[in-house]
Amino acid sequence: MLKIKNPATGEVFEEVESTCISDLNFMFENAQKAQKKWKTTSFQERKDILSSFKANLLTKKSECARLITIEMGKPYTQALHEIDETARRVQWFLDHFENFLESRVLGETKGIKEILSWDPHGVVVSISAWNFPYAIASSVFAPALLTGNSVLYKPSEICPLSGIKLREILLESGLPKDLFQTIVGDGSVAQTLLEFPVDGVFFTGSYETGKKIANTIKNRFIPTVFELGGKDPAYVCEDANLEKTIDSLIHGIFYNAGQVCSSVERLYLHEKIYERFLEFFYSRVASLKLGDPMLQDTYIGPLGREGNISFLNQQRENALKKGAYELLSGGASKDEPGFFYKPSVLLNTDHSMSIMKEESFGPIVGIMKVKSDLEAVTLMNDSDYGLTASVFTEDFDRGKIILAHIESGSVYVNSCTHLSPNLPWGGRKHSGLGSTLSLLGIEEFVKPKSWYLPPS
Ligand code: NAD
């Protein structure tokens, strides 16, 4: 039984039964049968169902957003954005999957026509994180279903109700019931699920869990995508437009209480703008409203995971002990019930501190002063992770030269954190393997078939 806590109050508000092994057996068999039929359906039929899903999701936007807020603490205004973002991703896949899947003649040799087509994998597993319960799920289920797969979806134990709701809306939209099934439970349920002979695994979560999953499915040669954690850096050059830079970074560091895989968690400031940057940055951070996530003007809600408070405390204390100091007083908030953490900005940090090396996943950032672009590049690359990186400068060529040397899946000049369905989303090093979104994020759900045909 999963006890679902509202992180804003710390109280259990619902209990949900975990999926048991006999249910998993049943679900897996049904998913296999349903997929065999589904893969023969027309593109138009799949398109109609997913279009209707998008419309229904938007009709239920406030209900879904409210559920996100209650389950994982994201401020309601940001949860509404998540639903819009989910609809945008689904629409992108609707617009592009058909063209991608069309079989094409790629050549002709000695009169033999050479044609490429694609087959779906079969039953794919999606194991997901809690920080964007709808948006992350949509990067998997939309392309998976549109390309003819069935999906066994294991949402995080923190947000099973959003996972159940997602299925409800898909079924209301006409999706045959066994094509998308929600599995409720924690990591042990996910491990049991992975024992089934599934045809693909799409995982979003931490590096540590990613390693366990990779170990479980090793030697099975099934397609996998790992979207893992980050420790994303930003570098502010001395010529940056400070007002715009700080606007962007406030969002990049503190949106969703810093619980975004691509949150900026390390900040390198050129020494020539260091003092001026901090002066403006201080007042912007101090003005961020922390509190009841249902209120319109709240920017920082509670943390989604209670246990992360002690981890952030350890990181903060480790840094303070080693010589860092705070720009303003952060840390666990004692003023409210629930899992609130005040924005923490640590100065005088260095790479011997956990705050500059290990993913924090909270409203906390370490700042360092640098003397040159070379020093910034060296520090930005001094990480086990490689999800995103950004540079702020008015000299775009300089920004591009710096970023060309950075080992990350996505890089930005004068912005950070965000993503577009047009481009692949994926990490390097401990941040993952493979891509979601974009045409590459469709290709992950199909396997190629090469045809050699006589001339017709
Ligand atoms: P997590 O790794 O704790 O859990 C993720 C999922 O894995 C959950 O559904 C969980 O139940 C399941 N799980 C746990 N143990 C398992 C096991 N042994 N075998 C199989 N499944 C298991 O991560 P989280 O706390 O839910 O999410 C936060 C992490 O996700 C952060 O590291 C964040 O950066 C990352 N994330 C990455 C992206 C991305 O696109 N790269 C997006 C969102 C979150």
Side-chain angles (χ1 to χ4, degrees):
M1 188 70 83
L2 286 183
K3 292 181 191 305
I4 321 297
K5 278 186 187 173
N6 179 343
T9 61
E11 284 167 10
V12 174
F13 69 94
E14 190 143 342
E15 297 190 7
V16 195
E17 196 80 56
S18 292
T19 308
C20 63
I21 176 83
S22 60
D23 286 347
L24 282 180
N25 267 315
F26 195 60
M27 289 163 113
F28 176 71
E29 278 173 21
N30 287 345
Q32 272 188 320
K33 278 187 215 142
Q35 192 271 333
K36 289 202 167 76
K37 214 161 152 195
W38 179 246
K39 71 177 182 187
T40 65
T41 53
S42 68
F43 291 166
Q44 191 57 47
E45 188 175 335
R46 300 177 199 174
K47 215 170 165 174
D48 289 345
I49 293 172
L50 269 289
S51 300
S52 157
F53 165 79
K54 184 195 141 190
N56 289 334
L57 178 71
L58 289 174
T59 309
K60 293 172 193 290
K61 183 160 134 178
S62 50
E63 186 190 341
C64 296
R66 210 166 167 275
L67 194 52
I68 295 176
T69 302
I70 295 174
E71 278 195 303
M72 54 70 68
K74 179 178 293 179
Y76 178 67
T77 50
Q78 296 173 18
L80 289 172
H81 283 141
E82 179 176 344
I83 301 300
D84 286 335
E85 170 60 19
T86 306
R88 178 173 82 122
R89 289 188 196 184
V90 171
Q91 187 58 53
W92 190 93
F93 286 115
L94 281 165
D95 292 342
H96 292 85
F97 87 101
E98 231 172 329
N99 259 353
F100 182 91
L101 290 183
E102 278 306 332
S103 59
R104 18 201 134 138
V105 180
L106 293 184
E108 194 176 316
T109 307
K110 294 183 185 159
I112 293 180
K113 261 200 210 149
E114 295 155 352
I115 296 172
L116 171 67
S117 74
W118 302 98
D119 289 335
H121 296 313
V123 179
V124 301
V125 163
S126 168
I127 299 175
S128 200
W130 51 267
N131 57 331
F132 287 87
Y134 286 80
I136 294 172
S138 69
S139 295
V140 176
F141 77 75
L145 292 172
L146 287 169
T147 53
N149 298 280
S150 60
V151 180
L152 294 175
Y153 175 53
K154 214 297 278 166
S156 163
E157 54 274 36
I158 292 179
C159 321
L161 300 177
S162 292
I164 290 168
K165 180 66 139 183
L166 197 53
R167 176 165 192 259
E168 205 179 287
I169 303 174
L170 279 163
L171 300 202
E172 265 172 41
S173 312
L175 190 77
K177 71 177 176 40
D178 296 324
L179 279 177
F180 182 97
Q181 300 181 71
T182 302
I183 287 151
V184 174
D186 58 13
S188 64
V189 174
Q191 274 293 327
T192 310
L193 172 64
L194 292 173
E195 301 298 331
F196 284 80
V198 297
D199 303 299
V201 176
F202 296 80
F203 173 68
T204 304
S206 61
Y207 166 66
E208 287 307 322
T209 307
K211 269 196 303 188
K212 288 183 194 157
I213 292 178
N215 199 36
T216 305
I217 58 177
K218 66 175 189 283
N219 304 338
R220 278 161 61 179
F221 301 107
I222 51 174
T224 48
V225 170
F226 290 95
E227 299 281 19
L228 309 178
K231 187 74 201 167
D232 295 353
Y235 168 41
V236 184
C237 301
E238 74 285 0
D239 66 343
N241 175 322
L242 279 196
E243 202 181 326
K244 288 189 184 153
T245 299
I246 289 173
D247 273 350
S248 176
L249 284 171
I250 286 288
H251 179 79
I253 298 167
F254 298 111
Y255 189 80
N256 196 24
Q259 302 165 122
V260 180
C261 52
S262 53
S263 283
V264 173
E265 296 199 352
R266 302 181 280 146
L267 195 48
Y268 303 99
L269 304 179
H270 195 283
E271 60 181 3
K272 288 191 182 148
I273 44 96
Y274 186 78
E275 298 298 339
R276 228 157 35 90
F277 180 98
L278 291 183
E279 200 181 306
F280 292 122
F281 190 62
Y282 173 88
S283 54
R284 287 296 309 278
V285 179
S287 72
L288 294 175
K289 189 162 178 298
L290 173 146
D292 181 352
M294 286 309 294
L295 296 179
Q296 202 64 18
D297 59 345
T298 294
Y299 191 77
I300 300 190
L303 300 184
R305 203 189 262 291
E306 184 176 9
N308 209 26
I309 292 185
S310 55
F311 178 71
L312 294 179
N313 280 341
Q314 276 168 30
Q315 274 199 327
R316 200 166 140 263
E317 279 151 25
N318 165 277
L320 295 172
K321 216 181 280 169
K322 289 184 168 176
Y325 51 91
E326 282 189 298
L327 182 65
L328 73 175
S329 172
S333 170
K334 309 239 167 7
D335 303 336
E336 300 85 7
F339 319 142
F340 288 90
Y341 207 86
K342 291 187 277 182
S344 300
V345 178
L346 289 149
L347 309 178
N348 203 33
T349 56
D350 63 47
H351 280 214
S352 74
M353 300 171 184
S354 151
I355 188 161
M356 299 307 271
K357 300 292 279 183
E358 288 179 65
E359 184 178 33
S360 307
F361 218 56
I364 185 166
V365 64
I367 298 187
M368 278 177 75
K369 197 191 282 185
V370 294
K371 286 187 166 55
S372 67
D373 294 355
L374 183 60
E375 187 185 2
V377 167
T378 307
L379 288 167
M380 287 163 93
N381 277 335
D382 179 29
S383 173
D384 289 336
Y385 291 101
L387 190 58
T388 79
S390 28
V391 170
F392 291 84
T393 172
E394 286 304 287
D395 179 348
F396 304 153
D397 286 337
R398 175 180 173 190
K400 276 161 53 185
I401 291 168
I402 294 169
L403 290 171
H405 291 92
I406 299 294
E407 297 157 32
S408 281
S410 297
V411 292
Y412 312 76
V413 175
N414 291 347
S415 65
C416 54
T417 314
H418 61 98
L419 53 76
S420 160
N422 290 318
L423 284 170
W425 182 253
R428 310 236 176 126
K429 303 191 268 185
H430 289 186
S431 291
L433 197 61
S435 304
T436 53
L437 300 177
S438 82
L439 296 177
L440 298 187
I442 297 179
E443 194 175 332
E444 300 280 11
F445 293 91
V446 286
K447 44 199 170 203
K449 185 176 271 175
S450 297
W451 299 74
Y452 298 84
L453 299 181
S456 41

